[in-house]
Amino acid sequence: MRFVFVASAVTVTLIIFSIIAFVGVQGVKTFADITPFHFFFGLDWTPSQNQFGAFSFIFSTLLLTGLSVIFAVPLALSGAVFMAKIAPKWVREIMRPATDLFVGIPSVVYGLIGLTVIVPWLAQFNEGFGYGILPAAIILAVMILPTILAISEDAIRALPGRLEEASLALGATRWQTIWRVLIPACRPGIITGIILGMGRAIGETMAVFMVIGNSPQMPKSLLDSATVLTTAIVKDMGNTHFGSTWNNALFLMALLLLLISLSLIIVIRFVAKRSELK
């Protein structure tokens, strides 16, 4: 059995590194035809004219991820505190499975709701056009909220009871104990949940594809049609030939997404290690 476990671990590792190597080799071939500066900082994405500037996609990806986290974190953290320290046991037994249920909903369902509810509502305030970064951020915030909430709640509940008892014994109110003692003490767990939520937001495709508008341009407002890295890959991959500059540029976008996800995982490991040392 030990041999089986070791062989399984080695196989999984080889598969992961093979995917990274394949995507990386194809993506780097892009620089044989265009310069890295043109790809990373160019604004013109016109493959028919051999223009492959992806800066607008990268900027929109980071903006969308940051905005969705800003929307999700206050609600998720409030819900985690409520379920961990305020809600009665019977309420938590209902709300926790209900929030976990959101994780199992297919992303296309979220996209359909955004397309039929959020986009028309936002169109009332933007001359009939409701597509853009804002509706995609609202949808992503709902999608990552259960992840952040669940991990944050587990982090709060894992704290030793003596912290809360000592704070209350010193005369702190219940709210002061939660805000100034419990939340700072479980900050590594909360940060881990936020980073995992960011990882899902960066990699989400279908729901974003349905509501963001998919125009290859730099968004000037949150209700301008835009394109992120994932939707650009989905939209263009079927129109390219393997090995062409256009195809290689899409592989380079995929490599960039892999590197961003890898960096988030490294941050999680670093945060977890620091919390263990403390």
Side-chain angles (χ1 to χ4, degrees), residues 84-85 151-161 163 186:
K85 292 299 178 182
I151 296 176
S152 299
E153 184 198 353
D154 291 339
I156 295 173
R157 295 178 67 86
L159 293 174
L163 288 177
C186 64

Side-chain angles (χ1 to χ4, degrees), residues 228-265:
V228 294
L229 292 172
T230 52
T231 59
I233 295 172
V234 170
K235 183 179 65 172
D236 292 354
M237 186 59 75
N239 302 321
T240 66
H241 299 287
F242 183 77
S244 63
T245 305
W246 190 358
N247 184 267
N248 292 336
L250 298 180
F251 271 103
L252 186 57
M253 292 183 190
L255 176 63
L256 188 58
L257 287 172
L258 284 174
L259 294 177
I260 293 174
S261 299
L262 179 62
S263 64
L264 292 177
I265 293 173

Side-chain angles (χ1 to χ4, degrees), residues 77-91:
L77 188 56
S78 300
V81 170
F82 174 76
M83 288 199 291
K85 292 299 178 182
I86 299 176
K89 183 178 180 181
W90 66 270
V91 174

Side-chain angles (χ1 to χ4, degrees), residues 34 44 47 50 77 95 105 149 192 218 227 229 277:
I34 60 175
D44 186 6
N50 204 36
L77 188 56
M95 291 187 62
I105 299 177
L149 189 152
T192 299
M218 178 69 75
T227 299
L229 292 172
L277 293 176

Side-chain angles (χ1 to χ4, degrees), residues 27 35 39 54 66 70 86 106 112-113 117 137-138 152 205 219 228 246 269:
T35 63
F39 178 83
I70 291 173
I86 299 176
L112 184 62
I113 293 174
V117 178
I138 295 173
S152 299
T205 305
V228 294
W246 190 358
R269 303 274 298 184

Side-chain angles (χ1 to χ4, degrees), residues 44-104:
D44 186 6
W45 180 267
T46 311
S48 60
Q49 301 177 9
N50 204 36
Q51 298 294 324
F52 298 98
F55 179 77
S56 60
F57 304 157
I58 299 172
F59 175 81
S60 297
T61 299
L62 298 178
L63 176 62
L64 175 60
T65 303
L67 196 62
S68 62
V69 169
I70 291 173
F71 288 162
V73 168
L75 293 175
L77 188 56
S78 300
V81 170
F82 174 76
M83 288 199 291
K85 292 299 178 182
I86 299 176
K89 183 178 180 181
W90 66 270
V91 174
R92 182 181 182 275
E93 291 178 351
I94 296 174
M95 291 187 62
R96 182 59 187 265
T99 55
D100 293 340
L101 181 64
F102 281 92
V103 180

